[in-house]
Amino acid sequence: LALSGTLTVEYPHPNTTVEQGNKLSPKVTQDAPKVTYKANTAAPLNLEKTYTLVMTDPDAPSRSDHKWSEYCHHVETGIKFNDPQGGLISNGHEVIKHMGPGPPKNTGDHRYIWMLFEEVEKNQTFSPINDRINWGYNTPATGIERWATENNLKLLAMNFFFAENDEN
């Protein structure tokens, strides 16, 4: 999978930067993070386009039980950049309000995946997300891949971290 840039995710609590699979406590990842995109020099952003940022949990309620998977934690659409190299994501339309990780007790590590997509269509309208569980599709192990395909979104970058219930 060739990506077009780097997604940096920094939660407000000290030392809580997402680093491609590091482990963070749910307690320090509840508030919405600062997310920055940096385009590869060979793949600058098209400033005429808009972008979508999401966070999903494919391990809900656990890695062996996917009845709530994927769980939608954040969707922001219509993001604009002023620089072809990217920058801070701060001006989108929050479709699904940010919800920090909440892995149930004794369910092990959960992956929390942040993704940035290019909205291929101008003035995009999106299929609704009627529920956080299964992204509203009512089909276990369904989520961002189906929603992104339905809405013709092109993946540019991703980052993820693991979190486990703090009481385990």
Side-chain angles (χ1 to χ4, degrees):
L1 181 63
L3 299 178
S4 302
T6 306
L7 205 56
T8 302
V9 181
E10 299 173 295
Y11 285 92
H13 199 273
N15 302 314
T16 51
T17 299
V18 174
E19 296 178 16
Q20 294 293 350
N22 59 331
K23 192 164 183 177
L24 298 173
S25 165
K27 287 180 183 157
V28 299
T29 54
Q30 292 306 300
D31 295 327
K34 182 173 79 172
V35 182
T36 307
Y37 176 71
K38 177 155 180 27
N40 295 339
T41 52
L45 291 168
N46 178 340
L47 300 181
E48 301 296 311
K49 298 266 186 183
T50 50
Y51 299 86
T52 294
L53 178 70
V54 305
M55 183 173 100
T56 192
D57 172 5
D59 302 320
S62 72
R63 285 220 176 163
S64 58
D65 179 359
H66 291 150
K67 68 184 173 196
W68 301 338
S69 165
E70 292 176 22
Y71 196 90
C72 179
H73 279 268
H74 181 97
V75 177
E76 188 174 348
T77 62
I79 297 161
K80 289 192 143 310
F81 288 98
N82 297 319
D83 183 327
Q85 290 307 304
L88 180 66
I89 295 171
S90 63
N91 59 4
H93 170 66
E94 195 173 51
V95 176
I96 300 292
K97 185 173 172 43
H98 178 79
M99 175 187 275
K105 193 172 179 179
N106 300 319
T107 60
D109 283 337
H110 285 235
R111 294 166 290 171
Y112 292 90
I113 305 169
W114 284 94
M115 291 173 259
L116 181 70
F117 295 89
E118 178 184 285
E119 297 171 7
V120 175
E121 297 170 27
K122 199 164 180 72
N123 300 317
Q124 174 106 20
T125 55
F126 294 89
S127 54
I129 302 167
N130 297 318
D131 195 354
R132 289 180 185 267
I133 295 171
N134 313 130
W135 282 62
Y137 291 110
N138 297 318
T139 306
T142 304
I144 185 56
E145 184 177 9
R146 181 170 169 184
W147 191 78
T149 299
E150 277 181 7
N151 292 288
N152 200 19
L153 300 176
K154 176 185 165 195
L155 183 63
L156 297 182
M158 59 192 298
N159 202 341
F160 78 103
F161 65 98
F162 289 100
E164 183 176 13
N165 186 296
D166 289 320
E167 296 173 24
N168 282 352

